[in-house]
Amino acid sequence: MYELRTYRAAPGRMPDLLRRFRDHTLALFARHGMHSVGYWHPNDDPDVLVYLLRHEHDPETQWKAFLADPDWLAAKAASEVNGPITLSIASQYLVLIDDLPSQL
């Protein structure tokens, strides 16, 4: 199962969001069986982060464990000491079509 996620950063907070991913989120994703496939900005909107995850198991169960992880809670709180770093988060689960080409 794959998941496409889109974040809109609060004004001026994209560097904080990317730092949280680099310093905390990526390792925590791996701990919970969630693997980063790639990260992108739309070419016309640098305040948007789009990324693709691959889930080893049930995504809902993995997200529940991730969101309850004390290391995540601490990293999130520390990154938001000056206010939220995201304005919105959208998620869509995707199923790979087996008989069409893919690089995944």
Side-chain angles (χ1 to χ4, degrees):
M1 176 76 65
Y2 291 86
E3 182 179 6
L4 182 67
R5 294 181 64 86
T6 304
Y7 289 29
R8 174 158 297 282
R13 301 299 305 270
M14 183 58 77
D16 298 321
L17 179 60
L18 296 176
R19 186 176 311 107
R20 186 171 73 188
F21 268 89
R22 282 195 279 293
D23 295 349
H24 304 285
T25 308
L26 295 177
L28 290 167
F29 279 170
R31 179 188 300 173
H32 292 283
M34 299 153 59
H35 303 281
S36 299
V37 176
Y39 291 79
W40 300 267
H41 287 294
N43 66 346
D44 61 348
D45 195 346
D47 289 330
V48 171
L49 172 66
V50 178
Y51 67 98
L52 186 64
L53 288 176
R54 180 178 53 82
H55 291 274
E56 286 182 13
H57 305 289
D58 175 57
E60 299 296 332
T61 302
Q62 289 179 305
W63 274 114
K64 189 174 184 176
F66 173 88
L67 293 172
D69 188 309
D71 292 336
W72 164 247
L73 295 171
K76 184 177 188 307
S79 69
E80 294 184 339
V81 72
N82 294 318
I85 60 177
T86 58
L87 297 178
S88 65
I89 299 173
S91 171
Q92 184 174 23
Y93 293 114
L94 307 169
V95 177
L96 190 63
I97 299 172
D98 291 332
D99 62 345
L100 292 174
S102 172
Q103 299 297 313
L104 301 177

